[in-house]
Amino acid sequence: MLASSHALARTGLDAAALKPAECDVRRAHSMPFETVTIDYEGREHLPDTETLRELAAEKNVLMTVPVRADGFDPLGDDSLFGRLPDGVGTVFVAGHSAYLTEDERSRAIAPRLGAALERSPDGWVGTEGIERVATATGATQFELLSRSTTRDVRALRAAGFDGTVAVYAPTVLTDDEDAILDAVGAYVARRKPVARALPDDAPTDASADGRARNVLSAASRDFALVGTATEVGERVEELKATGVDLVVGYPARGIDSFLDR
């Protein structure tokens, strides 16, 4: 959890997610979180071993690992696993298509997840696009926040799943609507139900107006955590009341918004 003296403590967030293409992940040393996840954005942005080792000495660090990508394929080229020092955990994912070659995208996911979890039994599993396969592993489920998260988690618990459920959400700690749309408008616009509802060629940032602005504003509350720290905290409490164990916030306005000060 967060240091109690920090304003972020009011959010109830359990961890932060960092994108190494956007920031120096070493700045996580100054963040008031015990747990940090680091997204995979291509091997050119993979933090070096020493950086990860130093972070892991102070934090609970988990690295996103695309099991279909060369270098992290447990059934093929797994050479990049050696870049992850002892003490760095893993979040196994199918892998974002933007960071995979055509050949990598064609690889079967289920057997690779199974092999990866044999290698690292404590790993988390990212569920996007592979929800049923992910649930079958019994590992910690790492889900993207969506408008169905509450319903889905309740159903998961009702079905007897007693493992850990973590939820990832872009987070914007302001109630300024323009700032919210500039930070997460493009992100929520890519979610399928939002894309279908938006007018063709509508802007997805603060310049959006009319129906597009209404759709994006509503979607930012469904697919992201936005508002004051207190408002975000209330939403996090709701999620945990439905059976979510951990909420991981991605600082959509930049890492400075999550730094201890």
Side-chain angles (χ1 to χ4, degrees):
M1 285 295 293
L2 302 173
S4 59
S5 63
H6 196 278
L8 278 173
R10 297 198 302 276
T11 67
L13 291 170
D14 301 287
L18 299 182
K19 295 182 180 295
E22 295 180 355
C23 69
D24 182 347
V25 299
R26 289 174 293 188
R27 299 185 74 194
H29 287 292
S30 300
M31 300 178 78
F33 295 94
E34 292 179 1
T35 299
V36 176
T37 68
I38 300 174
D39 290 350
Y40 178 85
E41 297 182 283
R43 65 170 61 206
E44 67 274 21
H45 296 296
L46 185 67
D48 63 74
T49 301
E50 188 57 31
T51 293
L52 292 173
R53 183 178 291 114
E54 290 175 358
L55 274 179
E58 293 186 8
K59 308 281 186 181
N60 176 30
V61 179
L62 296 101
M63 184 76 209
T64 296
V65 172
V67 296
R68 292 183 293 173
D70 286 339
F72 284 123
D73 183 351
L75 299 181
D77 175 5
D78 63 355
S79 57
L80 290 180
F81 271 108
R83 292 270 295 273
L84 305 183
D86 291 342
V88 171
T90 45
V91 181
F92 295 117
V93 297
H96 194 298
S97 60
Y99 308 124
L100 301 177
T101 66
E102 183 177 351
D103 177 62
E104 289 169 343
R105 289 194 293 269
S106 70
R107 294 172 183 169
I109 298 168
R112 287 175 167 79
L113 276 182
L117 287 167
E118 284 185 10
R119 181 175 194 151
S120 303
D122 294 331
W124 295 9
V125 175
T127 65
E128 186 180 15
I130 56 166
E131 290 82 358
R132 294 177 70 178
V133 172
T135 303
T137 68
T140 293
Q141 307 289 288
F142 196 27
E143 311 207 355
L144 293 182
L145 179 65
S146 75
R147 59 181 51 154
S148 67
T149 294
T150 296
R151 181 178 68 249
D152 294 344
V153 173
R154 281 181 176 150
L156 198 61
R157 295 305 191 193
F161 182 82
D162 60 1
T164 302
V165 176
V167 169
Y168 173 107
T171 303
V172 185
L173 298 179
T174 180
D175 56 5
D176 181 317
E177 200 65 24
D178 283 350
I180 289 170
L181 294 184
D182 280 340
V184 298
Y187 170 83
V188 301
R190 293 193 293 270
R191 307 303 290 271
K192 290 181 181 178
V194 184
R196 289 194 295 266
L198 281 173
D200 292 342
D201 300 320
T204 59
D205 57 12
S207 65
D209 58 12
R211 174 171 170 74
R213 190 176 183 90
N214 291 336
V215 168
L216 292 169
S217 293
S220 69
R221 274 78 184 169
D222 291 333
F223 297 96
L225 295 172
V226 303
T228 65
T230 298
E231 290 169 335
V232 169
E234 291 171 353
R235 178 70 174 119
V236 170
E237 279 188 19
E238 292 173 3
L239 289 168
K240 292 187 176 181
T242 68
V244 173
D245 298 293
L246 303 167
V247 180
V248 181
Y250 158 62
R253 295 184 77 191
I255 191 173
D256 285 344
S257 65
F258 271 30
L259 290 179
D260 203 352
R261 52 178 175 263

